[in-house]
Amino acid sequence: CRCCAEGRRHSSILYSILRSQERAVPPAGPAPRGCPCGSRRRVALRSPQVACKAASAVLVKTLRFVQNVPCFQELPLEEQLLLVRSCWAPLLLLGLAQDRVHLETVESAEPSMLQRILTARQQGEQPPPRAPAPGRPPHGPHLPLAGDIQAIKGFLAKCWSLDISTKEYAYLKGTVLFNPDLPGLQCTQYIEGLQREAQQALNEHVRLIHRGDEARFAKLNVVLSLLRSINANVVAELFFRPIIGAVNMDDMLLEMLCAKL
């Protein structure tokens, strides 16, 4: 049908754009394993201005890439925004992995619940009420949990350990961008065809370049699984709250998507 033909024609243009991304850098070593008992600690970026600036640059680059995809441009604006709202965080993390952006974090100086109770008892005060778990604290900075940050670091380390190539990153981004399972989409068959072609292109590339590694395609799909386990709100709090404050990502994405980046 005409829709499928257009999908094939534009997807070839899509991947010619995707393949022009920046060259890879030698892989870094795996992230150190942390003690699981400390996953509830609050952590912050060691150098928030540096990390947030790098993340902002990657986000701008990511949305510029999205805007330059012809088959994406042909979708109605409502569909474009729906896709971007759902995938901006995984696309950003793929971009951070590709650009080798390392995260250095420090434990929050905020006293633990035990410390607050002991201090209050020494001063003859009532102990503070137990904070609701696993939600965020009602007052103070909304710092991510150490477990959430470890998930992001683990994803980055997985990408670097696989030494993912520019083409493989491109096909992974295409798979993430064109998600036909989102509620409210109208062009589901068209989007599903683009996602299927991205996966097929990735599989063919892996079989051609990595003939001795039959499990590589499955390993790259594990990367996608790790992405799905990372909360977009954590990404927003980690990279944008320190410099922007309480940010509405939907409003920011709409403004950036409609702008000429």
Side-chain angles (χ1 to χ4, degrees), residues 5-6 26 40 57 71 97 101 121 143 160-161 176 220 233-234 250:
E6 286 295 309
R40 305 301 301 175
C71 50
V101 177
R121 286 179 177 175
L143 295 175
W160 297 333
S161 69
V176 169
L220 292 174
N233 292 330
V234 173
D250 285 353

Side-chain angles (χ1 to χ4, degrees), residues 17 31 36 41 50-51 77 106-107 109 113 116 129 133 142 149 157 179 181 183-184 201 226 228 240 250:
I17 296 173
R41 296 193 311 268
V50 175
L77 179 60
V106 292
E107 187 173 350
M113 180 59 62
R116 294 181 195 176
H142 289 202
I149 304 306
N179 180 8
D181 298 325
L226 293 175
R228 298 187 190 100
F240 299 106
D250 285 353

Side-chain angles (χ1 to χ4, degrees), residues 54-183:
S56 297
V58 172
L59 181 61
V60 170
K61 185 192 302 184
T62 298
L63 292 181
R64 185 184 296 125
F65 144 71
V66 169
Q67 287 177 322
N68 288 332
V69 177
C71 50
F72 181 84
Q73 292 177 345
E74 291 189 356
L75 291 169
L77 179 60
E78 294 79 8
E79 304 256 306
Q80 295 181 22
L81 185 57
L82 187 58
L83 289 175
V84 170
R85 279 174 174 170
S86 70
C87 74
W88 72 267
L91 285 181
L92 174 63
L93 292 174
L94 282 170
L96 293 174
Q98 186 173 5
D99 287 359
R100 299 285 171 156
V101 177
H102 291 264
L103 301 184
E104 294 187 17
T105 56
V106 292
E107 187 173 350
S108 170
E110 180 182 356
S112 66
M113 180 59 62
L114 177 60
Q115 289 173 325
R116 294 181 195 176
I117 293 173
L118 294 176
T119 302
R121 286 179 177 175
Q122 289 175 357
Q123 296 176 354
E125 301 173 359
Q126 291 295 326
R130 182 179 297 274
R136 303 296 185 194
H139 303 290
H142 289 202
L143 295 175
L145 296 172
D148 294 331
I149 304 306
Q150 190 58 39
I152 295 177
K153 289 184 175 181
F155 163 77
L156 296 175
K158 181 66 174 178
C159 291
W160 297 333
S161 69
L162 290 174
D163 195 16
I164 300 176
S165 68
T166 301
K167 286 186 177 182
E168 289 169 336
Y169 273 118
Y171 300 139
L172 289 173
K173 290 177 183 178
T175 301
V176 169
L177 175 62
F178 296 109
N179 180 8
D181 298 325
L182 297 177

